[in-house]
Each structure stands twice: as structure tokens, then as C-alpha cells.
Amino acid sequence: MNERTVRQDGMVNSQGRTREQLTFAEIELEQPEQKRAEPFVVIPERGGREVDWGQNFRYVSRERQFVEQARELEWKGGEAAEFIPFHAYWPTYEQMQPGQLRWYLYWRGEVRSGRYPDTDLSYLFVYLYELIHGIGINEPAEGHEQMQRVWLAYRERYPKLDTYVREWLYDYGLVFGLHVQPLAPLQKLPRNLSAELKELEWKRRFTAEPLVLTWDMLRTMIDYDVEKSRFYTGQGRKDLQAYAPKVVALVDGYLSKSEDVRLLERFMPREKKVSRPLFRTAVYDHELYGRDVTVSVLPISTHLPLRSYITQLVRLTENKLRELSGFRGKLRGITAESSVEQLVARFLHKEFEQRKAKEARAFVPKVKINTSKLQRIQWESDEVRDMLTTEEQAPVSDESREETALPAKLSKAGKVPDPEQSESLQQAELDFERGWMEPGEVEHSEAAAGKTELPEEWREIFARLSAAHRKMLSALLDGGDAAVRLGIAEQAGSMPELLLDEINEIAMECIGDLLLDGDEIALEYREELRSLLS
């Protein structure tokens, strides 16, 4: 019992000490209490200023700020100022120093007046941003025209403008529904050109008359790497680049005449709708016209049937060029109509023959002068002049008689030509520009000169027709059959159909109409042709 009491007392004592220690610690750490200031609220008086939360606390984008500042400076002019360089990425008024702003306002006034002083590219972009938002113009067509003028005035110094302004002009026309004339065709499609503008350029090329394609454009429509061909890397590079686009245009014209359908109409792709963002890479407030617009696109460059056909035409052209150039080996697996294959073969054969003839003419002098004949004529002329002068100055003597007999001796010896030969030599000298003409050539030139009584367009046709063309027309007038026409064509190294097409092409250029209807001469032109060929 006593032990328990002692233990309890001990516990009590220990707890008491602990409490005392805790109490002592609290007294040591506790700070003196400070009175806190009571919070208060200021209640505004009734009838005070109302706050427009939508207006005063709205978010204003950087593009919107630019438009608001542009409205303030829209018609503000500027006096002549000093040019200060300005370079900024996505430039706006906020990035301009006061001197730069003065120069910009002065330069902008000059541009609006049709004068284009030299300036930095960033100033140009600020002005283009203004035109996109309709700043400083009265109607949309005026904005499009101003944008195009500024682009054409500065594009030579800043080629980078082509990348941006071409796209912005297209967007501007879409937004306002403008029907504007397209610019000059592109010789090469830039890599950063949008898909919509690329397809528009392809449509423009394939619908032109005649079809016009450059090698750089045609190469993107071919499904095989032509530049890795042994013929292309060797001797055929220039020929393939020159003739492949011409062959595609030739086949397009042939299909138009024979089937009344062109390449694009024969392989017409389906139109599709795409969403196009407006004024990309420009400081543009999308609240004005919207973020994007729906555009109809004709996917010509990705249409597989058209690409396959053009690929076959280029491969066929390469094979024919290999054959004409004497290159061993041919491409296999070419599928083309027999008529198209014959057309391409005739065309390339004719081009090679004309090139050979042109190269041959380049090594032949235009005028041939027979120096020995000229010296002989000069010597004979001097002899005759001396004899005539001697007869006038002195009486006739034995020596003069011998001199007088000299021309007769020379004539018998063959040194002095008779009158007919002298006349022909004088005629040759008169026709010095045409060279030494044979009698047959003189008659032909006189016959051509006799056609002056015909109308001018028929004289032009007569001048452009070759001998093979005239023979073919004469055969048609005389009712010659197919064998006769084939013989004439083979003599000329061509085919009857090709000669007839060439005659019609000349007629279209001269009189604007076809002379031949199939293998017959049109009735209304038979009399003119008879008088022309008579």
C-alpha cells in the first residue's frame, strides 16, 4: 500500500514537473498580444459611375490594336522626312520610333500618289497590312490594285514579297469576290506556294491555247525520275527538256482536232472543297473577314490518270529521241495509241531534220563571190577602156589595128565572152544579194513576183508554202488519189496527213480559215488556189 502510494506520488510529482516545465516554456516563448486594426469597407455613394465590364476589361489582341491605330492614322499626311531604317518581325506602329513613323507617313503619301521611293521591307509590310484591313481605300477593287502596284514596284529589290503578296491578293479577291486578271504565268512553281494557287496555275496552263508547259512544271507531273536516266544524264538532257513539253502540247492539239476533247477534258478530276486560312503570316484581325474561307479546288497535279498519261508521253519522247540520236537501249512498258506514236515520231523527225539543215546553213556563207571571174571581168574591162581611149587620141596605125583585133582574138581564145554571156554575168552582178542565180531560179523569182496581183494574204500563203505543199495542193486539185499523195509525202520525208495539217495551219494564220476539209480542198477556195498555182 505504501509502495503504491509512493509510486503515485512519484507520478504526480513527475507530472507536476512536466506541467511546470511546459508552463515555463510557454511563458518564455509567448509574445505580448497586439491589438489588430479592424477591417473596414468603403461603401460608394449611390448614383456613382457605372463600370462597363465588357468594354473596360475586355482583351484587345495585337492585331486589333493595329487596326485601331491604323484608323487613327488613316488620312494623316506627313511632310518630307529623313529615312530611318526599320527592321522588325511582324512590324506594327508600336515598334516604330517617332522618326520612323514620320518617315512612314511621308513614304505612304508618296506611294498613294503613284511614286515609290526606296524604303525598307518592314515599312512595306505595314502598308500591306493597312490595305488588307481596308485602310486608306474607298472600295475593295482599289485596295487590290494598290496592293498589286506596290508589289510590282518593289518585288525586284525584295523577291521575298512574292511569297506573301501573291497569297494575300488571292485571299483579298476571295473575300470581296473580285474577278481580276491573273498575272503572268509562273515559269516554275515555288515550293512554298499554297496548294490552291498551284492547282489554279495548272488549270490555267492546261486550258491555254495552245497548251504551254515548262520543263520544270512538267517534271513534277512525271511518275518516274527522268533525271536519273542514262540518256538524260548523258547526251539527251537538252533535247528532252526542249521537246518533251512540245510533245505534250502537240498531243493536246491533236486530241482536240481528232476527238474534240483536250487532255484536261479527257482526264478531268473531280472538284473538291477545302478550307483555306485567310491572310496567313500577316498581322490580320480575323474579326474583320473571318479566320478561313471555303474554296473549290480542281486537283489536277495529283490526278493519277492524267499523271500516268503524261508520264507515258514523256517516256515515248525519250525513246524516239534515243533512236534519232543513235543512243543504244530503250525504255520498256510504254503504252500509247498508235496514232499518237506516229504523230510524235513524225514531229521529232521533222524537228531533227530542220535542226540539221539549220546547222548546215550556219557553215555556208550567205554570198559566194567567184574572185577569179571578177578579176577576169575587171581585166577585160580595162583592156576595152584602153582601146577606146587610144582610138580617140591617135590615128589608126598598124599597132592600133593589132590592138583593135585583140578583142576578136580574145573572143576566139575564149577569154572574152559573147554578148549573151556578158549579159548573164551582168545579171548575176545585179542580183548580188540573192547570190549567183541559175536561170531556173530567175524564172521562179519572176513567177513569184507575178503574184502581186493576188490579195496580200494569198501572196503570204504562196510565200510560205513549200514545194511539197504546192505539189500536194496541185494533186488535190487534179483529183490525185492516195497513192499520189503518199508519193509526194515520201519525197518530202513526211506523211500526207502531216503535210495537210501544215497547209491548214498556214491558212489559219494567213486567212483565218482552213483550206482543206479532210483530203479535199474547200469549194470556196478552189479558184484562188488554181490561180495561185498556175
Side-chain angles (χ1 to χ4, degrees), residues 439-502:
E441 295 177 340
V442 177
E443 293 175 0
H444 178 71
S445 63
E446 291 176 354
K451 303 297 180 183
T452 54
E453 57 189 20
L454 293 174
E456 182 180 354
E457 58 271 15
W458 286 99
R459 293 200 303 272
E460 185 178 357
I461 290 177
F462 182 81
R464 294 181 60 179
L465 289 176
S466 66
H469 294 152
R470 291 194 291 271
K471 288 181 181 179
M472 184 64 71
L473 288 174
S474 299
L476 292 176
L477 286 173
D478 297 338
D481 55 6
V484 176
R485 297 195 297 270
L486 182 60
I488 296 172
E490 288 179 350
Q491 242 182 352
S494 181
M495 298 186 66
E497 294 81 3
L498 188 59
L499 289 177
L500 297 179
D501 289 341
E502 292 172 354

Side-chain angles (χ1 to χ4, degrees), residues 79-80 90 167 172 205 212 245 259 277 317 322 340 351 357-358 373 377 408 411 415 432 505 510 519:
E79 298 179 355
W90 278 328
E167 302 285 348
Y172 197 90
R205 293 284 186 162
V212 179
E259 301 180 10
T317 303
R322 288 183 177 203
V340 171
E351 289 289 322
K358 185 177 180 181
K373 286 186 178 181
I377 293 172
S411 177
K415 296 183 180 180
F432 189 78
E505 289 178 4
C510 295
D519 56 356

Side-chain angles (χ1 to χ4, degrees), residues 135-363:
I135 304 298
I137 58 174
N138 298 318
E139 55 183 14
E142 181 183 352
H144 188 280
E145 184 180 357
Q146 287 290 338
M147 194 180 303
Q148 185 170 327
R149 285 182 179 178
V150 171
W151 175 33
L152 296 178
Y154 291 98
R155 68 183 301 191
E156 185 175 352
R157 177 173 179 183
Y158 300 111
K160 188 185 295 186
L161 285 174
D162 293 359
T163 305
Y164 304 101
V165 183
R166 186 181 283 111
E167 302 285 348
W168 296 344
L169 283 171
Y170 179 64
D171 292 338
Y172 197 90
L174 288 176
V175 168
F176 294 103
L178 300 177
H179 299 283
V180 294
Q181 293 294 331
L183 297 175
L186 297 173
Q187 297 299 317
K188 184 177 181 180
L189 295 178
R191 293 183 179 180
N192 50 12
L193 192 67
S194 64
E196 297 83 12
L197 287 185
K198 284 182 181 178
E199 299 303 337
L200 279 178
E201 186 65 24
W202 280 115
K203 182 179 179 181
R204 181 178 173 184
R205 293 284 186 162
F206 274 96
T207 55
E209 291 187 5
L211 185 149
V212 179
L213 292 177
T214 63
W215 170 252
D216 290 323
M217 296 184 69
L218 183 61
R219 189 165 50 87
T220 62
M221 292 285 289
I222 303 173
D223 291 332
Y224 80 105
D225 196 351
V226 63
E227 294 186 349
K228 291 183 179 179
S229 167
R230 289 190 302 112
F231 176 70
Y232 183 89
T233 56
Q235 65 192 63
R237 178 173 183 172
K238 290 183 178 180
D239 287 340
L240 198 56
Q241 289 183 357
Y243 291 120
K246 294 181 179 180
V247 166
V248 176
L250 177 70
V251 174
D252 178 72
Y254 171 76
L255 293 176
S256 177
K257 289 182 179 180
S258 60
E259 301 180 10
D260 198 22
V261 60
R262 302 187 65 182
L263 274 177
L264 184 59
E265 297 168 349
R266 188 176 184 181
F267 304 99
M268 179 65 73
R270 290 185 179 180
E271 196 174 68
K272 64 178 183 180
K273 304 285 186 180
V274 296
S275 179
R276 174 182 171 85
L278 288 175
F279 302 107
R280 284 175 290 191
T281 67
V283 176
Y284 162 64
D285 183 13
H286 61 81
E287 296 181 2
L288 191 60
Y289 311 124
R291 292 184 181 273
D292 49 35
V293 63
T294 303
V295 185
S296 298
V297 177
L298 202 63
I300 297 174
S301 62
T302 58
H303 191 50
L304 292 180
L306 179 61
R307 292 180 62 91
S308 176
Y309 191 82
I310 291 178
T311 300
Q312 294 300 318
L313 288 180
V314 175
R315 287 165 59 86
L316 175 63
T317 303
E318 182 175 346
N319 265 359
K320 297 301 180 183
L321 289 174
R322 288 183 177 203
E323 181 181 346
L324 292 170
S325 303
F327 187 87
R328 298 182 62 182
K330 290 185 178 182
L331 302 176
R332 297 181 180 180
I334 298 176
T335 56
E337 303 95 323
S338 59
S339 59
V340 171
E341 187 173 354
Q342 292 177 5
L343 177 70
V344 174
R346 291 197 308 267
F347 168 72
L348 293 177
H349 177 76
K350 180 182 176 182
E351 289 289 322
F352 265 64
E353 290 297 326
Q354 290 180 353
R355 187 171 68 180
K356 289 179 181 178
K358 185 177 180 181
E359 291 174 355
R361 288 195 300 269
F363 293 100

